[in-house]
Amino acid sequence: MKKEYPRLTPTAVAQHFLASYHIECTDEVKQSVVNTMGTIQDIVAEKCVEYFERHRRRTFVTPKSYLSFIGGYKAIYKEKFASVESLSERMRTGLSKLMEAEVSVNQLSKELVMKEKDLAVASKKADEVLLEVTMKAQAAEKVKMQVQKVKDKAQAIVDDIAIDKAAAEEKLEAARPALEEAKAALQDSITEETVELLEPYLGMEDYNLETAKKVCGNVAGLCSWTQAMAYFYGINKEVLPLKANLALQEGRLAAAQMELNSAQNQLDEKQMELDQVQAMYDAAMKDKQALLDDAEMCRRKMNNATALIEGLGGEKLRWTASSKNFQNQITDLVGNVLLATGFLSYSGPFNQEYRNLLLQLWKKEMNNSKIPYSKNLNLTAMLVDNATVGEWNLQGLPNDDLSIQNGIIVTKASRYPLLIDPQGQGKVWIKNKEKNNGLQVNS
């Protein structure tokens, strides 16, 4: 015995295929779409009978037609939703960037006020440090001038001492032989009185070593010694003041050197203070420059963001309207795709009058079911762009609405169409359209 299965209703079939398919609408609208799909199938079936009665042209709707209708809805909805969602996302992104720019300008404006306050504090600090640097630099320069005076004074003393010392050393060098000769016996103990007593003898022509040797060899040494002693005294008499002066000048030099060292120490201390303050000033200027750079960067960012906002001020209104329009398109897409899919799946066999009639009946049913759709919907514009239509016209397709609709059905429908083409216009168009795609024609 053959097992019988319960017959599924069109609504149950649509529910089966659309249950897990996402449609951007409420559950109530989605259920209305499921129900309306079955109703559309029933409406077309009724009009097939009426169409035959009026025009004697027989056409049918079958379960396969209905499955094709459901599958086409899913495919077209996915394609159109992705397209509209992409454009909507771009608008949202643009608006988001503008809003971010506005928030950024406000934030940057607040930051700039704070940075300018910090900059004013840093500038004041740098000016204060600069004043301190200037004062300490002036003090160091004053000490430097004083030290230079001391240096010049000490150098003059050194130069004078060098002259006196050179003269003394010259005379000492000249007296050195006689000095060495009498050194063992006299040292510096010979007196002026002794030299005066010897002068009458020293002036005699024959008071010399050679004559003394001839007269008495024993006293010849004494003659030589007295001459050396007198000569040494003469030289030493001149050298002693020089030695005393040299000792005095050396004392003066030591005192000047101590004064110079003291002044140099003062200068070093002042220079150390100056270096410390200069380091403070450099650090303050570095902080000030960093704040300047930071404020300038903040100002530049704010200016750029402001320019962007001002430049796109008019676009913001348009983008806001476009974003809202895209959202409306997504809302209406559920019904627009239902009409477009019904047109592709069922309108092919009918003439222009019945195609329009079917659309009116479908819209009425959708209104009753509260399925949103665009009131000014142009199915041709929705399913094909003007550039493609122009290309079809160049390939031989007539430019009237019915021919363009037929072209859409031929290229967009999920099932292969059968063309009733008594004038051969469709045949010419298809040949030209597919000539580069390896079209095979059977006569």
Side-chain angles (χ1 to χ4, degrees):
M1 182 177 179
K2 186 176 180 181
K3 185 177 181 181
E4 294 185 0
Y5 293 93
R7 184 174 179 271
L8 294 175
T9 64
T11 300
V13 173
Q15 181 67 38
H16 172 76
F17 284 102
L18 295 180
S20 60
Y21 185 78
H22 175 71
I23 300 175
E24 193 71 17
C25 63
T26 63
D27 293 339
E28 291 78 7
V29 172
K30 184 175 182 181
Q31 187 60 48
S32 296
V33 171
V34 170
N35 297 336
T36 303
M37 282 184 165
T39 303
I40 288 175
Q41 171 88 347
D42 294 338
I43 291 173
V44 176
E46 292 175 3
K47 292 305 171 183
C48 286
V49 176
E50 181 182 315
Y51 193 65
F52 175 73
E53 291 174 353
R54 287 188 58 182
H55 299 285
R56 311 308 298 175
R57 293 183 182 176
R58 190 175 299 278
T59 184
F60 304 94
V61 289
T62 65
K64 191 170 184 179
S65 302
Y66 188 57
L67 293 177
S68 177
F69 173 42
I70 297 173
Y73 181 88
K74 293 168 66 176
I76 294 177
Y77 185 87
K78 180 179 179 181
E79 174 191 346
K80 295 300 180 182
F81 180 82
S83 176
V84 176
E85 179 64 17
S86 175
L87 294 174
S88 179
E89 180 61 26
R90 288 168 61 184
M91 288 298 104
R92 287 197 298 268
T93 301
L95 287 171
S96 176
K97 294 298 182 183
L98 279 178
M99 292 177 64
E100 288 178 5
E102 291 176 350
V103 173
S104 177
V105 167
N106 294 333
Q107 184 64 30
L108 288 172
S109 179
K110 294 178 182 178
E111 290 182 7
L112 187 59
V113 171
M114 297 301 298
K115 291 180 186 299
E116 287 178 343
K117 289 182 179 178
D118 293 340
L119 184 59
V121 173
S123 298
K124 183 179 179 181
K125 179 181 178 181
D127 293 340
E128 292 174 351
V129 175
L130 178 60
L131 179 61
E132 186 176 356
V133 169
T134 302
M135 293 175 62
K136 289 188 179 295
Q138 291 175 350
E141 186 64 27
K142 184 177 180 180
V143 172
K144 183 178 180 182
M145 293 175 64
Q146 293 174 350
V147 170
Q148 190 61 48
K149 289 180 180 179
V150 174
K151 281 185 175 181
D152 294 342
K153 181 180 178 181
Q155 188 63 48
I157 293 174
V158 170
D159 294 341
D160 291 342
I161 291 175
I163 295 173
D164 293 344
K165 184 178 180 181
E169 288 179 347
E170 182 180 359
K171 291 183 177 294
L172 286 174
E173 189 64 28
R176 189 173 299 279
L179 184 64
E180 293 295 330
E181 185 177 347
K183 184 177 181 180
L186 297 177
Q187 312 272 1
D188 289 337
S189 62
I190 190 171
T191 64
E192 184 178 359
E193 182 180 1
T194 303
V195 174
E196 289 178 353
L197 292 173
L198 289 174
E199 279 183 357
Y201 299 101
L202 294 174
M204 293 179 181
E205 183 177 353
D206 57 353
Y207 191 81
N208 53 57
L209 180 62
E210 289 75 13
T211 304
K213 286 180 178 180
K214 292 177 181 180
V215 174
C216 182
N218 293 330
V219 298
L222 180 61
C223 178
S224 177
W225 177 77
T226 56
Q227 286 180 326
M229 184 175 61
Y231 178 69
F232 170 76
Y233 176 79
I235 295 300
N236 199 39
K237 185 178 181 181
E238 296 180 4
V239 170
L240 287 176
L242 292 177
K243 284 184 177 181
N245 184 56
L246 182 60
L248 176 63
Q249 296 300 332
E250 287 177 346
R252 290 173 58 202
L253 178 61
Q257 190 64 47
M258 289 179 62
E259 186 178 358
L260 176 62
N261 292 338
S262 176
Q264 186 64 48
N265 290 335
Q266 287 184 334
L267 180 60
D268 292 341
E269 291 176 1
K270 292 295 181 181
Q271 187 62 46
M272 185 179 298
E273 293 178 6
L274 180 62
D275 291 342
Q276 291 174 349
V277 178
Q278 184 66 43
M280 291 172 57
Y281 177 72
D282 292 341
M285 287 302 296
K286 183 178 180 181
D287 293 341
K288 179 181 178 181
Q289 188 61 46
L291 287 172
L292 275 172
D293 295 341
D294 193 25
E296 181 59 28
M297 183 173 65
C298 180
R299 187 178 291 106
R300 187 164 54 250
K301 287 181 179 179
M302 188 176 71
N303 291 339
N304 291 340
T306 301
L308 176 65
I309 292 172
E310 292 176 352
L312 297 178
E315 293 297 314
K316 181 181 179 181
L317 297 176
R318 188 178 68 82
W319 289 357
T320 302
S322 296
S323 180
K324 184 177 180 181
N325 181 52
F326 284 133
Q327 188 57 47
N328 292 336
Q329 288 184 38
I330 291 176
T331 301
D332 293 343
L333 196 61
V334 58
N336 292 346
V337 173
L338 190 61
L339 292 171
T341 310
F343 169 78
L344 291 174
S345 301
Y346 298 116
S347 295
F350 298 98
N351 59 19
Q352 189 68 64
E353 177 189 359
Y354 267 75
R355 290 180 181 180
N356 292 336
L357 177 61
L358 287 172
L359 285 175
Q360 292 174 4
L361 294 173
W362 296 342
K363 289 180 180 179
K364 181 179 179 181
E365 183 62 30
M366 290 166 63
N367 288 333
N368 294 334
S369 300
K370 295 183 173 54
I371 299 175
Y373 66 92
S374 301
K375 305 306 178 184
N376 58 347
L377 176 64
N378 185 331
L379 287 177
T380 298
M382 178 181 177
L383 294 172
V384 69
D385 56 76
N386 292 331
T388 302
V389 172
E391 186 177 359
W392 289 352
N393 296 150
L394 293 175
Q395 293 166 346
L397 184 70
N399 197 30
D400 60 277
D401 290 341
L402 183 64
S403 297
I404 294 174
Q405 288 178 0
N406 290 337
I408 293 173
I409 294 172
V410 168
T411 56
K412 298 288 186 178
S414 59
R415 304 172 67 188
Y416 290 107
L418 175 63
L419 271 64
I420 301 174
D421 187 31
Q423 297 180 353
Q425 294 174 327
K427 182 178 180 180
V428 171
W429 171 60
I430 290 176
K431 281 185 176 182
N432 290 332
K433 183 178 183 300
E434 302 296 334
K435 66 180 180 180
N436 295 328
N437 297 325
L439 178 68
Q440 297 181 1
V441 179
N442 294 327
S443 301

